[in-house]
Amino acid sequence: MLRVLYGCVLRAHPRYFRERFAAEMQSIFDHTESKFAAAGLLADALLSLARQWTLRPQYWEEPSLAATADGAPFFYTLGTSKPRTAALASGAFLSVLVLNGVCWTMGYAWNHPRFMDIRPGYGPSGRVPESKLISRPVHRSPVVAEPPLQSDQGRVLLVFKSPVRAATSPANPVKSPPQVPTASAAPTAEAYSPTSPAEASWPPRAWQSYVGRYVSNSAGSEKVNITIEGERLHLEVVGKFRSALVPLPKPQLLACSAGDCQVAFSTNASGTVDRIEIHHGGREIRAFRVQGAVF
Amino acid sequence: MRENFNTYLPLSPATLHILLSLADDELHGYAIMQEVQRQSEGKYKLGPGTLYDNLQKMIDRRLVEELGQRPGDDDPRRRYYRLSSLGRGVLAAEITRLDGVVREGKMRLQAKPRRA
């Protein structure tokens, strides 16, 4: 009974004092031999209880830092395992920042693509020196490079060699190839040696086959005159424009000396030039040759 | 820097007796109570409440160090304590002070004989 009472008095002590010394005090009580001594210890415990709750408020709670026997401090976890609100807010802001950075980088890369030359021997910066190539270059027989085609306002004209004259031209002037004449009627590319990619010298006799007048069958009914003046062919679209023609390396293909204009002649089955195609200012004029003098 | 032991003086009787009992050896609480009773020849008895109240203050003031439990002890609830270097210095200072008090007292008592 006394032991139970003593235990109750010990439990009534402040928590910090109780955690530290209650077990030892109980141990001392258990070693008492007489009930008289036990009663004395009970009275002492009651006195201690009053003293701790009235005179020792600084020991009601454990101090912020306690020390071990060798002076090393005890560390207690005062906070909870829940993260601080400020830490959560900072982490959220940082996460949004990183995510926006990644999305912006992806968007920038999508809008600013970089094309790489995947040809053998070429890298991101262009031609790679042979000394830096890992693999040996393949030596192939040299291929004669074809002269570049003149373009009409950036468009590329495709030239198809065919002995048969094309019946009609496609709607898209960019893709319509000018007809190449037969070897007997008109000069071919092999018969001439162009002095420059932009201009070739044709024999004057070849020009004569182009001289004449041409009439288009479109709604405008343009009239075209091809004449020789001096040593050059001249083109005149009646009422529109006039220009000298510069022969190109490709047969039957000429360019205007001034302005953005390109002229292609076509022959019939007998090899006679009977049609002209003029690409000028984004327009295309197709005209057929008519007999008689110029307009 | 030398600790000024005089700031801890004078010691209370309970503190003095506890420091005296720990001067020779490391003791647990019950042993301290028994040593104090032996030193005072039964004239001064410490109860557990008084003992641990003073031990709490002395530990807080770093006069006594708590060693904890000893393995192999018959009662695992016992915890041992020992005198710290500061506590030893404070005890020595208190003994010196008390020695001076005793000397002064003897001198005065011998100088003035009792009147009949």
Side-chain angles (χ1 to χ4, degrees), chain A residues 55-248:
Chain A
L55 301 178
R56 305 286 185 260
Q58 67 272 22
Y59 297 120
W60 289 352
E61 298 293 333
E62 59 186 316
S64 59
L65 201 63
T68 59
D70 56 356
F74 281 124
F75 292 97
Y76 297 92
T77 301
L78 301 177
T80 63
S81 60
K82 187 179 178 180
R84 295 178 292 111
T85 305
L88 289 175
S90 300
F93 174 74
L94 198 61
S95 300
V96 170
L97 209 64
V98 171
L99 182 63
N100 276 311
V102 170
C103 292
W104 180 86
T105 304
M106 292 172 63
Y108 183 86
W110 183 265
N111 295 325
H112 299 82
R114 183 176 181 182
F115 297 100
M116 292 186 63
D117 197 335
I118 60 175
R119 290 178 294 174
Y122 282 82
S125 304
R127 176 71 182 174
V128 177
E130 288 196 8
S131 60
K132 293 187 178 181
L133 289 176
I134 298 175
S135 59
R136 290 184 177 180
V138 178
H139 296 283
R140 298 174 179 168
S141 57
V143 178
V144 178
E146 294 187 1
L149 298 174
Q150 293 294 323
S151 62
D152 179 13
Q153 290 186 342
R155 293 175 293 186
V156 177
L157 295 176
L158 301 178
V159 179
F160 297 95
K161 291 185 177 181
S162 172
V164 179
R165 185 187 68 183
T168 57
S169 301
N172 189 355
V174 176
K175 298 181 180 177
S176 62
Q179 296 300 313
V180 180
T182 57
S184 59
T188 61
E190 290 76 14
Y192 304 103
S193 55
T195 56
S196 68
E199 182 174 345
S201 60
W202 292 2
R205 60 178 177 83
W207 298 348
Q208 196 62 42
S209 61
Y210 300 107
V211 173
R213 58 177 182 171
Y214 301 79
V215 178
S216 72
N217 54 2
S218 61
S221 297
E222 287 88 354
K223 299 179 177 64
V224 180
N225 288 323
I226 300 296
T227 57
I228 295 178
E229 296 179 12
E231 296 181 350
R232 283 200 170 215
L233 277 173
H234 283 257
L235 163 74
E236 180 189 5
V237 179
V238 179
K240 296 290 177 61
F241 70 93
R242 196 173 190 280
S243 172
L245 296 178
V246 177
L248 298 175

Side-chain angles (χ1 to χ4, degrees), chain A residues 249-261:
Chain A
K250 278 293 180 182
Q252 297 182 328
L253 197 63
L254 303 96
C256 299
S257 60
D260 185 14
C261 166

Side-chain angles (χ1 to χ4, degrees), chain B residues 52-64:
Chain B
Y52 290 107
D53 178 64
N54 282 277
L55 275 177
Q56 181 174 251
K57 288 188 293 183
M58 284 188 285
I59 292 173
D60 186 51
R61 301 176 76 181
R62 301 180 189 247
L63 299 178
V64 172

Side-chain angles (χ1 to χ4, degrees), chain A residues 3 6 16-17 19-21 23-28 30-31 41 44 48 51-52 56 59 67 69, chain B residues 29-30 33 47-53 56-57 59-60 62 65-67 75 77-79 81-82:
Chain A
R3 190 177 188 278
Y6 192 80
Y16 184 52
F17 185 91
E19 290 176 354
R20 293 183 71 185
F21 304 116
E24 292 177 72
M25 295 174 70
Q26 187 68 59
S27 170
I28 293 174
D30 293 338
H31 282 84
L41 291 180
D44 175 78
S48 171
R51 185 190 305 121
Q52 293 299 323
R56 305 286 185 260
Y59 297 120
Chain B
Y30 188 55
M33 289 173 56
T50 305
L51 169 65
Y52 290 107
D53 178 64
Q56 181 174 251
K57 288 188 293 183
I59 292 173
D60 186 51
R62 301 180 189 247
E65 296 172 346
E66 183 179 352
L67 300 179
D75 193 340
R77 294 173 296 181
R78 287 176 179 170
R79 300 170 78 167
Y81 304 89
R82 72 178 178 190

